[in-house]
Amino acid sequence: MLNSIKQKIAGYIVNKKIKQKKIEKQSFTFLLKNSTRFFILMPDNEVHFHHAVDIVKYFEALDKDITVFTRDFRVNLLPIKYRNSSISFGIENITKLNLPTNELENKLKEFEFDLVLDLNKEENLFYSLTANLVRSQVRVGFRKNNSDKYYNLQVDNLEDNPEIFYKNLLNCLQMF
């Protein structure tokens, strides 16, 4: 019950921090092709993380400028090219409500990207808020509770098997 209360309070705080922005109509046809600077939020789930690394490798092959956001102990699991340009966080960067600390928020607000890609399949307010702290016109995430507030392009997450799920996502991204 305490976790449920904390989750509701965190949701309220996140909604207050994310200002309702007027979303302009956008064509996503050339979205990936024309974007050069990507901010990729790696999944918090350990199993999902390992399958999502293929998404980072895909953008690496396209020679995109990528900044990866992940937990500090997972940085060494990233492709070598992105270890130094990653933004990592530890337990000291997470509040009791499981949201980013003010220090981490201020750090993230300094960055600007063409596209933000949140690879967390499960609902996680920490990552949803993080995706909205950096400056970007396009935020891509998975359909979850309240995802309309956080992302302007959403992908359905009907597949339960993480390996198949991230392969399907990769196929979807390749269409753009």
Side-chain angles (χ1 to χ4, degrees):
M1 183 168 149
L2 183 60
N3 282 338
S4 174
I5 293 170
K6 283 174 58 174
Q7 188 74 4
K8 287 182 181 183
I9 293 170
Y12 176 76
I13 292 170
V14 169
N15 288 334
K16 284 193 68 131
K17 288 186 181 213
I18 298 175
K19 296 177 177 88
Q20 292 298 327
K21 301 170 189 150
K22 181 181 175 187
I23 297 176
E24 298 177 17
K25 291 183 180 180
Q26 298 180 36
S27 170
F28 294 109
T29 307
F30 299 105
L31 176 67
L32 295 180
K33 186 176 182 180
N34 294 336
S35 298
T36 57
R37 295 170 297 152
F38 288 76
F39 186 52
I40 301 177
L41 287 75
M42 295 300 287
D44 202 38
N45 181 300
E46 184 76 29
V47 174
H48 290 219
F49 179 92
H50 291 288
H51 295 293
V53 170
D54 290 338
I55 305 294
V56 175
K57 290 177 182 176
Y58 168 70
F59 288 119
E60 178 181 14
L62 294 178
D63 203 29
K64 301 291 185 180
D65 180 17
I66 299 172
T67 302
V68 177
F69 183 78
T70 190
R71 290 191 175 265
D72 51 6
F73 60 87
R74 290 196 183 125
V75 171
N76 287 336
L77 300 175
L78 295 171
I80 294 172
K81 181 177 180 180
Y82 299 109
R83 291 180 188 170
N84 289 333
S85 63
S86 67
I87 299 173
S88 62
F89 67 95
I91 56 172
E92 70 277 359
N93 301 113
I94 303 172
T95 67
K96 291 179 181 178
L97 294 174
N98 294 320
L99 296 174
T101 60
N102 287 336
E103 179 184 306
L104 182 58
E105 276 190 38
N106 292 334
K107 179 180 179 180
L108 292 168
K109 287 178 182 177
E110 296 174 8
F111 293 97
E112 183 173 356
F113 299 96
D114 297 327
L115 186 135
V116 175
L117 179 60
D118 182 357
L119 295 177
N120 283 280
K121 184 178 178 197
E122 292 133 7
E123 185 173 2
N124 188 322
L125 287 175
F126 179 89
Y127 286 94
S128 297
L129 177 57
T130 298
N132 283 272
L133 290 172
V134 297
R135 292 181 307 243
S136 179
Q137 292 296 314
V138 180
R139 290 176 177 78
V140 181
F142 299 113
R143 189 174 307 277
K144 323 171 218 196
N145 292 336
N146 298 316
S147 60
D148 290 340
K149 296 177 184 177
Y150 312 126
Y151 312 107
N152 49 5
L153 179 61
Q154 298 173 44
V155 179
D156 271 335
N157 58 356
L158 300 175
E159 179 60 51
D160 289 333
N161 182 327
E163 181 178 7
I164 295 171
F165 174 76
Y166 286 102
K167 283 184 181 180
N168 288 345
L169 174 62
L170 189 55
N171 290 336
C172 177
L173 293 171
Q174 289 171 341
M175 290 190 305
F176 291 99

